[in-house]
Amino acid sequence: MEKSLNNAGDTPQDRAGTRQEEGVRAGQTAAPSFVKEEEPREARNPEGDPGQTQLPNLSSLLALYGMEVDVRTFSPLALAFLGDAVYSLIIRTSVLAKGNRQAEKLHNETTRLVRAQKQAAIGRTLYDLLTTEEQKVYRRGRNSNPMHRAKGASLEEYLQATALETLCGWLYLQGRTERLMELIRTGLELTRRRDGEPLL
């Protein structure tokens, strides 16, 4: 597996990126910069108001219908099916967080970040920062056998993109959204530094 970050610079931004990378490697789950840190539950809801709840993950949603979900029962492609939507939602939220703009501009920036080539680059960059369990899930997605691939992407790029989506779906099903968002943010930052692209 490739390592995308070889010679980081020594600017304040690069040092900050290095600290962020070390935190992700250690499994820390600080919320990305485009997400406001939540106040402690006691501070924002001292009376225990049931209306103050976190956004439910899929497991919680399925529980509303009396269904239980075991993430181990899903195939890599099923996880990627869900992960594709989860990744897209995070990217769209990130793009929108930059400010209100014409819908066409929002669409164009989102398209650049959700294409298979970009997902593949993020996945390769993140692989060495993943935990052992996360790497296992990633490899399951990489070794899957999709029936089609994205236009303009090589088979290898499509498989790497599928691997990232598989990991996204797996983390989301377990409610590990902070870890998921931190990984995506770090992947975007590291590939931006490598390719000289603008940061969200």
Side-chain angles (χ1 to χ4, degrees):
M1 186 66 61
E2 299 179 20
K3 291 186 178 179
S4 302
L5 187 61
N6 295 322
N7 297 312
D10 195 35
T11 65
Q13 293 84 353
D14 289 331
R15 289 194 294 274
T18 300
R19 288 193 296 271
Q20 181 185 39
E21 178 183 344
E22 291 173 349
V24 173
R25 183 182 290 110
Q28 297 174 0
T29 57
S33 61
F34 58 83
V35 177
K36 294 180 64 176
E37 293 281 351
E38 288 190 349
E39 298 178 2
R41 181 173 296 276
E42 295 77 12
R44 69 176 189 274
N45 187 22
E47 301 299 327
D49 181 359
Q52 296 285 352
T53 57
Q54 295 182 350
L55 181 68
N57 59 24
L58 184 59
S59 299
S60 301
L61 295 175
L62 292 177
L64 295 176
Y65 296 93
M67 300 173 62
E68 295 183 357
V69 60
D70 183 349
V71 68
R72 296 171 298 180
T73 65
F74 290 102
S75 70
L77 292 181
L79 293 174
F81 168 76
L82 177 62
D84 177 38
V86 173
Y87 176 86
S88 178
L89 178 60
I90 293 175
I91 293 298
R92 287 169 183 260
T93 303
S94 306
V95 170
L96 191 62
K98 294 178 64 176
N100 188 33
R101 286 164 288 163
Q102 294 178 343
E104 182 180 2
K105 292 182 179 179
L106 295 173
H107 171 76
N108 291 339
E109 187 167 359
T110 299
T111 299
R112 177 178 66 85
L113 296 171
V114 300
R115 70 185 193 274
Q117 294 93 329
K118 183 66 175 181
Q119 289 180 315
I122 290 174
R124 288 192 296 264
T125 299
L126 287 176
Y127 183 80
D128 290 332
L129 305 179
L130 302 178
T131 66
T132 301
E133 188 177 20
E134 290 167 349
Q135 287 182 345
K136 182 178 179 180
V137 173
Y138 187 95
R139 289 194 300 270
R140 286 183 62 204
R142 167 64 182 80
N143 296 331
S144 62
N145 187 26
M147 301 301 295
H148 65 280
R149 59 186 173 95
K151 294 181 180 179
S154 67
L155 177 59
E156 175 62 20
E157 288 173 330
Y158 188 71
L159 291 174
Q160 294 286 356
T162 300
L164 178 64
E165 292 173 348
T166 300
L167 180 61
C168 288
W170 182 78
L171 288 170
Y172 176 75
L173 276 177
Q174 297 182 85
R176 297 171 59 187
T177 52
E178 288 187 4
R179 173 64 171 169
L180 168 60
M181 295 173 72
E182 178 67 11
L183 285 173
I184 293 178
R185 182 64 179 184
T186 300
L188 289 170
E189 166 66 11
L190 295 179
T191 54
R192 179 201 67 84
R193 291 168 59 194
R194 183 196 66 188
D195 301 334
E197 296 177 342
L199 180 62
L200 287 178

